[in-house]
Amino acid sequence: MLLSELLDAPELGLRLVYSAGGALDRPIGRLVTTDLLEPGRYLNGGEVVLTGLVWHRRPTDSEVFVASMAARGATTILAGKAQLGDVPADLLDACRRHGVTLVEVPIEIAFADVTEYVAAAGSAETGARLSASLVRQRQLLSSIAAGRSLDELAARISAEIGHDCRVLTPTGRHVVPGPGELNAEILDAITRRFLTADRTPAVADVGGTAYSLFPVGSGLGNRLTAWVLVIDGDHTTWSHDHVEAVHELCAIAALDRARRDEGRRALRPLVADALALVESGAPLADVAARLRQAGSHADRPMVVAVGELRDDGPSEVALSVFEDVALTVGPAVVAPGRDGVLVGFLPFVPGLPEQLRRAFGRLAPGLQRARLAVGISGETSADALAGALEEARFAQRAASAGRAPVSVVTSDEVASHVLLLATLPDDVRRTYTQRVLGPVLEQDRRTHADLLTTLQAFLACSCSWTRTAELLHLHVNTVRYRIERVEQLTGRDLSRLEDRVDVFLALKSL
């Protein structure tokens, strides 16, 4: 019930003395009757305070009373005239200073009359709301029975509440795209907010645009595997009816998800059989037939992805996450491999590695202490899946050596010296660096000779004296002296390729 509706009730005869901005269109919160001079300790915010002004002894009391209730977020005073015969001017002044709405209650109207009127109106509104909710639920269920898709139901609720609805997953997959898919930057911000919010529903502010995030199904489940209903706007400003309609859509979406998950679970044995055939070197015809039964396009180019989520949680979480990311690129099959890691056969699309890297990367804020490592093969066909699987396994092992919460490595990247070093234990790399560059580091520490900086620039300039001098703004003779000193300390001759590689790898291991 709005305050304006209460003022319009002829049987109460309330008179508006002062209205703070937007007060008339604000729903009436809890009604509190008090004659304490400082009632703030008993208020929680949003209350309408009824007072007989018994506390008013001197003009300064009005400031104390209004300041106390305004500090706790109370919005409106309903002041009775019985005690003083009129509403004092100092009370009006205090209300203006603190932005509190002031309403005069006639002498003949008891506070109980006001309270009963609000309670009766609230009961009527609740009954109407429950009736409307029941009608809406029946209509939604009838639509499902008639074969309506989740996209159609989301569009219907969007039109009803005036806000666009989408259903996403934490990897950024659009289950329901709504009026159009969100761009990558918005998806990054939304998924990060959903995974890190203390409670849901939450609001994500992306460049000044608000998005409300409602979990589909139980909000107590693992958010890495959840669906989230994303709605344009801040739900905290919506009417109760609109919020209720959103919760009903969440319930319907949960039913739809359960149906889809059941379908995927039914296919998992076929996927496991297909993977076992690949790992055993079975004939192409058998592998292709099983992949087609599992829903994959075996006649088109594919890539193999191998992943592992290292934590103590259930393996179902890792499998669900991997399946979700695979679905972002099209029909894909995912199953646990013989060594416990997850294996996916994904359709090849241009830019696939970056697409997978971004999708998996969105999960990082929700991983906590867990780590996700994924390896991706190059483009392949069904008759070469075994080799592609080995490529992906090797890339995944390289990814496991990384320190980031999420690491995605392609087979092309395995040739990089960075990944070669990443596969080595930390103590091995530290020992190697100390043996090769230890004297240089010690010399720089004692004399600040900048030998290391000069060495790095020298190798970056392909051992060109002139270019190194220009880069560091030094004389060429200074560069020559420093590099000769490095050679003396390390026992390496930087004109020889083998010694240059030793020093280069030691630098990269720092």
Side-chain angles (χ1 to χ4, degrees):
M1 183 180 187
L2 303 181
L3 180 59
S4 59
E5 294 173 331
L6 182 62
L7 292 172
D8 289 339
E11 58 268 45
L12 297 179
L14 304 179
R15 184 176 72 87
L16 180 65
V17 179
Y18 171 72
S19 174
L24 298 183
D25 296 326
R26 187 180 297 131
I28 294 176
R30 189 166 61 110
L31 286 164
V32 175
T33 301
T34 181
D35 276 310
L36 294 174
L37 179 59
E38 296 185 56
R41 72 187 70 179
Y42 302 107
L43 304 177
N44 297 317
E47 290 91 351
V48 172
V49 176
L50 292 90
T51 177
L53 305 180
V54 175
W55 48 265
H56 192 279
R57 295 288 187 272
R58 57 187 65 85
T60 55
D61 288 346
S62 292
E63 174 64 25
V64 175
F65 180 84
V66 177
S68 175
M69 57 169 285
R72 295 301 297 250
T75 61
T76 304
I77 295 175
L78 268 60
K81 297 171 57 177
Q83 178 70 17
L84 302 180
D86 206 349
V87 175
D90 47 85
L91 178 58
L92 174 59
D93 293 339
C95 287
R96 284 174 174 159
R97 281 194 296 272
H98 293 280
V100 173
T101 298
L102 179 60
V103 177
E104 180 185 270
V105 182
I107 294 177
E108 63 273 13
I109 299 298
F111 286 167
D113 296 336
V114 178
T115 303
E116 289 173 4
Y117 183 89
V118 172
S123 297
E125 288 180 357
T126 300
R129 189 164 55 246
L130 290 174
S131 178
S133 175
L134 182 59
V135 170
R136 186 165 49 237
Q137 289 178 20
R138 288 174 176 171
Q139 290 174 341
L140 289 173
L141 292 173
S142 297
S143 297
I144 293 176
R148 300 290 186 186
S149 68
L150 184 58
D151 296 68
E152 292 174 299
L153 298 179
R156 175 177 173 175
I157 297 298
S158 297
E160 180 177 332
I161 67 175
H163 299 278
D164 292 330
C165 298
R166 299 174 177 87
V167 179
L168 306 177
T169 68
T171 64
R173 180 168 67 92
H174 286 76
V175 180
V176 175
E181 295 192 358
L182 301 172
N183 66 43
E185 289 71 24
I186 294 177
L187 288 175
D188 291 345
I190 285 175
T191 54
R192 185 186 310 110
R193 175 62 176 148
F194 176 69
L195 291 172
T196 59
D198 291 334
R199 63 183 65 183
T200 55
V203 177
D205 188 333
V206 185
T209 300
Y211 295 89
S212 293
L213 315 179
F214 289 77
V216 171
S218 172
L220 302 177
N222 193 315
R223 292 188 190 174
L224 293 175
T225 62
W227 281 11
V228 53
L229 182 58
V230 179
I231 310 175
D232 296 355
D234 183 349
H235 71 91
T236 61
T237 65
W238 300 347
S239 69
H240 188 278
D241 285 347
H242 287 177
V243 174
E244 200 164 73
V246 169
H247 283 297
E248 289 162 7
L249 179 58
C250 285
I252 296 300
L255 292 175
D256 187 84
R257 182 189 179 169
R259 177 183 59 80
R260 300 189 194 197
D261 288 348
E262 189 61 34
R264 274 201 298 277
R265 279 193 289 269
L267 288 175
R268 284 178 183 173
L270 296 176
V271 177
D273 288 347
L275 177 57
L277 290 173
V278 171
E279 292 179 327
S280 65
L284 170 62
D286 294 344
V287 173
R290 191 65 71 186
L291 286 174
R292 282 193 294 271
Q293 291 173 348
S296 177
H297 298 307
D299 56 339
R300 300 178 187 177
M302 291 184 287
V303 298
V304 180
V306 173
E308 182 180 25
L309 180 61
R310 292 185 177 180
D311 68 349
D312 297 328
S315 59
E316 181 67 23
V317 171
L319 182 55
S320 296
V321 164
F322 211 80
E323 285 179 335
D324 183 53
V325 173
L327 287 170
T328 63
V329 298
V333 294
V334 179
R338 64 191 175 200
D339 51 359
V341 298
L342 295 169
V343 178
F345 301 125
L346 284 61
F348 173 79
V349 294
L352 179 61
E354 287 308 312
Q355 187 175 344
L356 294 179
R357 185 172 281 114
R358 190 150 200 171
F360 279 118
R362 291 190 178 109
L363 301 173
L367 288 178
Q368 298 177 351
R369 292 184 297 274
R371 292 179 56 240
L372 177 62
V374 181
I376 306 171
S377 76
E379 181 183 353
T380 189
S381 57
D383 59 350
L385 281 178
L389 179 56
E390 288 308 309
E391 281 184 25
R393 287 185 190 278
F394 185 69
Q396 194 274 332
R397 288 195 292 273
S400 297
R403 298 178 178 84
V406 176
S407 179
V408 178
V409 174
T410 67
S411 58
D412 292 339
E413 294 174 296
V414 173
S416 167
H417 68 275
V418 175
L419 287 174
L420 176 63
L421 293 173
T423 59
L424 297 175
D426 289 347
D427 56 344
V428 173
R429 288 189 289 109
R430 284 194 296 268
T431 300
Y432 177 75
T433 299
Q434 186 60 33
R435 287 183 177 178
V436 176
L437 294 177
V440 176
L441 296 172
E442 177 62 21
Q443 182 75 6
D444 272 355
R445 187 188 66 79
R446 289 189 296 103
T447 66
H448 305 287
D450 286 335
L451 298 181
L452 188 67
T453 300
T454 306
L455 174 61
Q456 290 171 324
F458 184 64
L459 294 179
C461 292
S462 301
C463 300
S464 167
W465 306 104
T466 303
R467 286 164 51 199
T468 304
E470 291 174 351
L471 178 64
L472 298 178
H473 305 289
L474 298 173
H475 193 279
V476 172
N477 289 341
T478 303
V479 175
R480 288 183 182 276
Y481 169 77
R482 290 182 180 179
I483 295 302
E484 288 172 0
R485 184 63 178 140
V486 168
E487 290 177 330
Q488 292 170 3
L489 292 170
T490 61
R492 261 75 173 181
D493 179 359
L494 294 180
S495 65
R496 298 179 64 249
L497 177 62
E498 293 86 350
D499 288 353
R500 201 180 302 169
V501 170
D502 285 348
V503 174
F504 175 79
L505 292 177
L507 283 171
K508 293 299 181 181
S509 298
L510 284 172

